[in-house]
Amino acid sequence: MPVVIIIIVIIIAALIMYSVNSSSQAKQEQAAVNELRKKQQEESIESRKNYVESLGPNTRIILNDGLHLFFKNDEEEFFGLDETGKTYSFDGLLHINKETTGISFMHKDSYDLCVGKCIGNPGSANPISTASVNKIYAEMKPVLRNNLYKMLEEYGVNPTHEYEWDTDIFGCDINSKQFYFTYGCPQVYDFSALHKVTIEDLSHNSLSDANYAIHVYLWSDDGVLDEFPYIDIYFDYKDATFNNLLAMFKGIKNRQ
């Protein structure tokens, strides 16, 4: 009996030693993997910094979060993503969409630019922090707003009523009987194009981040409703902008 006990104790001790050695080896292997990843990340960041510096003395990095990079040159007016060498002019920026883990850009030269992880761009990279998203957004919002006003001037619009919601602008020119949106890029319509305006309560819809939507229905040139009959304007809540915009569209209907 004692011999059996001794054998069992030896087996248990061997198993414990094997388990300890395996655990130690696994930890060493994981540490080596982590060290390699860290080294690769540091090399990538350094490579991107060198790339940005090569573009000129006025170029600065706005975001360097892990393996992501966003850079901007105030004098030459361009911004770029990663180290691909592709740059985009400020005057081509049409829209910005801030998401939870990334920020996407609509540009006349590319409609699917993304920094971080963007919902509408499944091929985009890993997520970035909220702080990084906010930083880029704050940098590029004035650029977009300036572009939108320039484009509205090209349409000959002289706003008599105007309301802003984040980066979007809505308004109308009573004298020329035109109303407009800046979703993506300016969309200008004659008062006669407005068919009707409705409100939808989205608070019960778990798939939507917004609580309300204003639907603006438009007539097409041939007098029938367009294939896509309305433009959606989303709001988190019914604030002054929501109510003023709704009143503006109702005023346009009355003028008809």
Side-chain angles (χ1 to χ4, degrees):
M1 190 68 177
V3 175
V4 174
I5 294 175
I6 292 173
I7 293 174
I8 292 174
V9 169
I10 292 173
I11 292 174
I12 292 174
L15 290 173
I16 292 174
M17 290 181 63
Y18 176 79
S19 176
V20 170
N21 290 336
S22 297
S23 176
S24 177
Q25 183 179 355
K27 289 180 179 179
Q28 290 176 359
E29 291 175 352
Q30 185 61 48
V33 170
N34 293 340
E35 185 63 28
L36 179 60
R37 288 177 178 172
K38 181 180 178 181
K39 182 179 179 181
Q40 291 174 338
Q41 180 171 324
E42 290 174 349
E43 290 176 350
S44 178
I45 291 174
E46 185 64 27
S47 172
R48 294 179 184 215
K49 285 183 178 178
N50 293 336
Y51 167 71
V52 171
E53 290 173 359
S54 72
L55 295 174
N58 298 313
T59 305
R60 60 193 176 91
I61 296 175
I62 297 174
L63 164 74
N64 195 337
D65 183 359
L67 298 179
H68 305 281
L69 175 71
F70 183 86
F71 59 87
K72 176 180 174 183
N73 184 312
D74 292 326
E75 291 185 10
E76 298 298 328
E77 293 195 336
F78 64 74
F79 66 97
L81 312 171
D82 297 329
E83 74 280 23
T84 59
K86 180 66 175 178
T87 59
Y88 302 88
S89 62
F90 277 11
D91 60 8
L93 183 62
L94 302 174
H95 188 68
I96 301 174
N97 185 34
K98 182 170 65 172
E99 302 181 22
T100 305
T101 58
I103 181 168
S104 58
F105 303 88
M106 182 183 293
H107 192 278
K108 66 180 181 181
D109 294 331
S110 179
Y111 277 69
D112 59 354
L113 299 177
C114 175
V115 177
K117 187 70 174 178
C118 300
I119 297 175
N121 190 344
S124 57
N126 297 318
I128 59 176
S129 65
T130 300
S132 296
V133 170
N134 291 337
K135 194 171 184 181
I136 295 177
Y137 192 73
E139 288 275 355
M140 298 308 296
K141 183 175 177 179
V143 175
L144 174 63
R145 183 55 54 83
N146 186 52
N147 286 354
L148 294 177
Y149 278 119
K150 283 183 178 179
M151 286 185 272
L152 284 174
E153 288 179 8
E154 294 175 2
Y155 281 99
V157 173
N158 184 21
T160 49
H161 295 75
E162 186 167 84
Y163 309 102
E164 298 182 8
W165 181 257
D166 204 9
T167 57
D168 295 307
I169 307 171
F170 312 92
C172 71
D173 181 348
I174 291 178
N175 298 321
S176 64
K177 294 183 173 59
Q178 294 176 300
F179 64 96
Y180 56 87
F181 312 86
T182 60
Y183 270 11
C185 59
Q187 303 175 51
V188 181
Y189 302 93
D190 291 332
F191 280 6
S192 59
L194 181 62
H195 173 58
K196 66 177 181 178
V197 181
T198 62
I199 303 174
E200 182 180 3
D201 184 350
L202 301 174
S203 58
H204 62 281
N205 186 353
S206 60
L207 298 178
S208 175
D209 293 331
N211 291 323
Y212 299 97
I214 296 178
H215 302 309
V216 181
Y217 292 79
L218 304 173
W219 291 106
S220 64
D221 293 337
D222 56 3
V224 297
L225 284 175
D226 275 338
E227 181 181 356
F228 302 100
Y230 57 81
I231 295 176
D232 292 327
I233 308 173
Y234 295 103
F235 290 86
D236 296 333
Y237 47 85
K238 289 183 179 180
D239 64 351
T241 302
F242 177 95
N243 293 324
N244 289 336
L245 197 56
L246 186 61
M248 184 190 82
F249 287 122
K250 290 181 177 179
I252 292 174
K253 281 298 297 176
N254 292 336
R255 285 177 175 271
Q256 290 181 8

